Amino acid sequence: MSKGARISIVLVSAAVAVGLILFGIFGYLRTYPPTVVYTPSPTQPHTVDVTLQVDGTVGTGPHPSWVGWYAKDAQGKWVRTTLYQVPEKTYVHVTVYEYDSGGPLRNPYWGKITGTVGNDAVLNGRPVRVLDAAAGNGVAHTMTAPALNLSVPMWGLSGTEKTFCQSGPCTLANAHNTETFTFYSGNVAHNYRWQCFIPCGAGFLNGNGGPMASTGYMAGFWKVVA
């Protein structure tokens, strides 16, 4: 084989490799969830309202059967994402509609609410500090951001509810629990990772794979900006 032929083969191979890498990168970017940006209103300059829902199956994307979260954007549209941008030095008021079923906790610590204003939340109109996972339908998920000392468990539904949502985004006509809480975003601009600490990756070892480790499903970031 001539030297020129060998050079041509090397160049073609390199071009194919670069093409595959770029294809992978752009494919990843197409599936990576967007960031929903929340800004204060003129009347409440140091407060933002964030509305979320968590569903047993997201119904869209590359893994429609996985459990995951949606966020309501400024236009009132539900966006499948776990990336939320909020200002620093701001009180973040969060409303979560929980549509998934729950169960007993492996560690009762995750039933405790921490890092919120007052270290409590309001569940279906009732103030709570600890969710007893041994009672009722148990805890479905948590939103836990260790660097913010924030951890809020979400009370689960019974899977036998007549209006149980089968696929997200769900509506208020479906059976759900409503939980609200407020936390302070802090004084430092930073991306604070959060995730669910309740093993909910069905079909994966000990429930800890798949959606549990994936941004856009059960893990994400509170993006605090200056």
Side-chain angles (χ1 to χ4, degrees), residues 16-224:
V16 170
V18 171
L20 290 172
I21 291 171
L22 291 175
F23 179 81
I25 291 173
F26 286 116
Y28 172 76
L29 292 175
R30 283 197 302 270
T31 60
Y32 198 73
T35 297
V36 175
V37 177
Y38 297 95
T39 56
S41 69
T43 58
Q44 293 182 306
H46 300 293
T47 302
V48 295
D49 294 315
V50 176
T51 302
L52 310 172
Q53 67 170 272
V54 56
D55 306 330
T57 58
V58 294
T60 64
H63 304 288
S65 64
W66 281 9
V67 60
W69 292 73
Y70 280 82
K72 184 176 286 189
D73 66 13
Q75 289 71 46
K77 178 184 176 182
W78 287 109
V79 180
R80 188 183 63 78
T81 186
T82 53
L83 305 177
Y84 320 128
Q85 180 176 303
V86 297
E88 65 180 3
K89 303 174 184 177
T90 297
Y91 288 97
V92 183
H93 181 68
V94 183
T95 298
V96 177
Y97 299 119
E98 204 292 310
Y99 292 96
D100 200 10
S101 56
L105 290 174
R106 300 182 187 182
N107 184 342
Y109 174 81
W110 298 118
K112 183 180 180 181
I113 296 166
T114 64
T116 66
V117 174
N119 286 317
D120 63 3
V122 176
L123 173 62
N124 297 330
R126 179 175 60 91
V128 291
R129 290 181 178 271
V130 177
L131 298 187
D132 180 6
N137 299 312
V139 172
H141 305 287
T142 71
M143 174 173 278
T144 304
L148 290 170
N149 191 37
L150 176 69
S151 186
V152 181
M154 309 296 162
W155 194 242
L157 293 173
S158 168
T160 61
E161 293 277 357
K162 291 183 178 179
T163 57
F164 190 82
C165 181
Q166 300 300 322
S167 180
C170 305
T171 73
L172 293 180
N174 296 114
H176 64 279
N177 290 313
T178 302
E179 193 161 352
T180 61
F181 59 92
T182 300
F183 71 94
Y184 187 64
S185 65
N187 301 322
V188 179
H190 186 70
N191 290 341
Y192 295 94
R193 180 173 171 82
W194 71 267
Q195 70 177 85
C196 174
F197 273 38
I198 308 299
C200 52
F204 295 86
L205 181 63
N206 296 322
N208 287 315
M212 283 287 292
S214 299
T215 301
Y217 294 92
M218 300 308 292
F221 289 91
W222 285 101
K223 297 183 175 183
V224 178

